[in-house]
Amino acid sequence: MKTPGILFLCVANSARSQMAEGLARAQFGDSVRVQSAGSCAAGVNALAVKALAELGIDISGQTSKTVDTIDPETVDTVVTLCVEEVCPVFLANARHIHWPLRDPTAGGGTEEEKLARFREVRDEIRRRLPELLPETKSARRPS
């Protein structure tokens, strides 16, 4: 059997989807192939790196990718993370789940206020991750 795959999608692949990728890798290890992408690659946001570093998770080596670089055969579950923006579309033969999480990069404020938004999104993603594993296992396709 092939390893089940999860793809996290948002617009810039810089914050929400990057944090989701790092959190999922830390939680699921090698039992799941975890990827993230967006409609446009905007680089990994430094506050996303900082928010995960607070949990001992290093995503500084992750890269921002566009959805057209993802092999559909490696994806069983697609999780979109957009709220007001238009999330990219991924037409793989995959289960689609939507987690409407506000973009933590939107809005001003002090560095601490901005980091607080990243922490909120990080913690919500972490809370929801256990929902994915049973669905991902049942979504396995024969190899």
Side-chain angles (χ1 to χ4, degrees):
M1 291 190 139
K2 81 172 197 148
T3 302
I6 300 172
L7 173 63
F8 294 99
L9 288 178
C10 66
V11 176
N13 190 223
S14 69
R16 292 166 291 190
S17 55
Q18 289 290 340
M19 289 192 294
E21 178 181 350
L23 288 163
R25 284 180 196 271
Q27 183 162 336
F28 302 142
D30 293 336
S31 66
V32 178
R33 176 194 303 260
V34 179
Q35 302 175 85
S36 69
S39 353
C40 60
V44 180
N45 189 292
L47 290 175
V49 174
K50 187 172 186 175
L52 263 62
E54 292 177 346
L55 302 179
I57 300 170
D58 181 8
I59 64 167
S60 62
Q62 289 181 193
T63 59
S64 188
K65 301 159 291 301
T66 57
V67 71
D68 61 346
T69 65
I70 303 296
D71 176 0
E73 290 301 311
T74 64
V75 179
D76 298 295
T77 302
V78 176
V79 181
T80 51
L81 303 164
C82 305
V83 175
E84 296 165 351
E85 324 87 329
V86 176
C87 261
V89 176
F90 192 78
L91 299 175
N93 180 21
R95 169 176 282 117
H96 288 259
I97 298 169
H98 182 61
W99 292 349
L101 302 176
R102 293 207 179 277
D103 185 352
T105 67
T110 65
E111 190 75 4
E112 189 56 36
E113 290 168 334
K114 292 175 186 177
L115 183 56
R117 290 195 301 266
F118 276 81
R119 288 176 179 138
E120 286 175 23
V121 171
R122 172 200 69 196
D123 294 346
E124 183 60 22
I125 292 168
R126 191 164 70 160
R127 186 187 72 73
R128 292 177 183 221
L129 279 177
E131 303 169 15
L132 293 181
L133 202 49
E135 293 174 354
T136 302
K137 284 183 176 178
S138 67
R140 285 184 179 178
R141 292 181 238 150
S143 30

